[in-house]
């Protein structure tokens, strides 16, 4: 069962404590969260073998966060300007249907998703890290970035993760969304954590 905003799980209260009221309100409205891939779900590095095929490393905790969003009724989309089988494979593993590769105009892609799914832009969040993400970040209800993004990107967002892209940034974002909607507590089993000191 989901916890109400009036009786949130202690971990939810802990995560939301440093978040402004405005950002919390934005987070509560999210029905779909979109993520850039390179630099957000990965560390941004591309590895090539002798055949020229790029390899990417994904972080398991990030993937679990994307699953938790979906299990809580929040849709997930991946938007990347690059194209290749690696992203499609990772999306399939996580059960993500909204995968937009070769999307150089991410603002247009998000607008198309919103219209097709009957969502308002205020109900959509996007996490990006580079110049190509700016237009989309400026249109969605909740804009997020990573600490290693250029300053001209992070300064237009509503929230910047503590963790770097590809190393827990997306999971941090997912947990925050779930906490704001009273949906994170349902994933804690056993006795609830009641003191900050008990959280590792």
């Amino acid at each position: 069962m989901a916890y109400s905003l009036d009786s949130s799980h202690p971990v939810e209260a802990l995560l939301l404590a440093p978040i402004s009221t405005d950002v919390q309100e934005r987070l509560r409205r999210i029905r779909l969260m979109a993520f850039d891939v390179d630099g957000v779900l990965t560390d941004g590095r591309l590895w090539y073998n002798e055949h020229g095929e790029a390899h990417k490393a994904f972080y398991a905790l990030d993937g679990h966060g994307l699953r938790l969003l979906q299990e809580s009724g929040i849709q997930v989309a991946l938007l990347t300007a690059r194209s290749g089988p690696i992203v499609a494979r990772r999306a399939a593993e996580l059960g993500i249907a909204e995968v937009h590769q070769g999307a150089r105009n991410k603002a247009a892609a998000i607008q198309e998703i919103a219209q097709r799914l009957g969502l308002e832009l205020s109900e959509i969040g996007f996490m990006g890290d580079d110049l190509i993400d700016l237009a989309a970040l400026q249109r969605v209800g909740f804009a997020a970035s990573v600490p290693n993004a250029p300053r001209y990107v992070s300064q237009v967002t509503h929230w910047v993760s503590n963790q770097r892209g590809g190393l827990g940034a997306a999971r941090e974002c997912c947990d925050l969304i779930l906490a704001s909607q009273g949906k994170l507590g349902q994933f804690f089993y056993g006795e609830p954590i009641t003191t900050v000191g008990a959280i590792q």
Side-chain angles (χ1 to χ4, degrees):
M1 58 177 265
Y3 290 75
S4 71
L5 295 177
D6 295 327
S7 59
S8 63
H9 190 282
V11 172
E12 294 175 350
L14 179 69
L15 291 178
L16 294 173
I19 306 301
S20 72
T21 301
D22 173 69
V23 172
Q24 288 189 45
E25 288 297 328
R26 291 175 180 277
L27 290 165
R28 287 176 189 146
R29 291 194 292 265
I30 291 179
R31 295 175 59 193
L32 180 144
M33 186 67 198
F35 295 87
D36 176 36
V37 176
D38 296 309
V40 172
L41 295 182
T42 77
D43 65 7
R45 292 183 293 176
L46 300 173
W47 300 83
Y48 291 88
N49 61 24
E50 64 274 17
H51 305 294
E53 298 172 335
H55 294 262
K56 303 177 192 287
F58 294 96
Y59 198 48
L61 289 180
D62 287 340
H64 192 212
L66 301 185
R67 282 190 178 277
L68 294 181
L69 284 184
Q70 294 177 97
E71 289 175 17
S72 300
I74 299 168
Q75 299 183 72
V76 173
L78 303 185
L79 303 178
T80 175
R82 293 180 176 274
S83 297
I86 297 172
V87 173
R89 178 175 177 178
R90 182 60 173 157
E93 290 174 346
L94 298 174
I96 299 171
E98 288 288 342
V99 183
H100 300 258
Q101 300 200 63
R104 299 205 58 83
N105 188 338
K106 296 183 184 181
I110 285 177
Q111 184 66 55
E112 184 277 325
I113 293 171
Q115 291 177 345
R116 178 162 43 80
L117 299 182
L119 298 174
E120 300 292 333
L121 289 177
S122 62
E123 297 174 313
I124 296 176
F126 177 55
M127 190 172 199
D129 74 316
D130 209 346
L131 181 62
I132 195 172
D133 302 316
L134 273 176
L137 289 168
Q138 292 173 313
R139 285 170 172 75
V140 294
F142 171 66
S145 192
V146 295
N148 47 310
R151 180 165 175 75
Y152 55 75
V153 173
S154 59
Q155 70 183 3
V156 304
T157 64
H158 302 112
W159 176 82
V160 177
S161 65
N162 292 306
Q163 303 301 319
R164 292 173 65 89
L167 293 171
R171 176 56 178 275
E172 191 179 345
C173 182
C174 293
D175 284 353
L176 200 61
I177 295 168
L178 293 170
S180 73
Q181 298 187 13
K183 296 176 178 178
L184 184 61
Q186 66 186 321
F187 296 107
F188 287 84
Y189 302 107
E191 292 298 317
I193 298 169
T194 56
T195 64
V196 174
I199 300 169
Q200 302 295 319

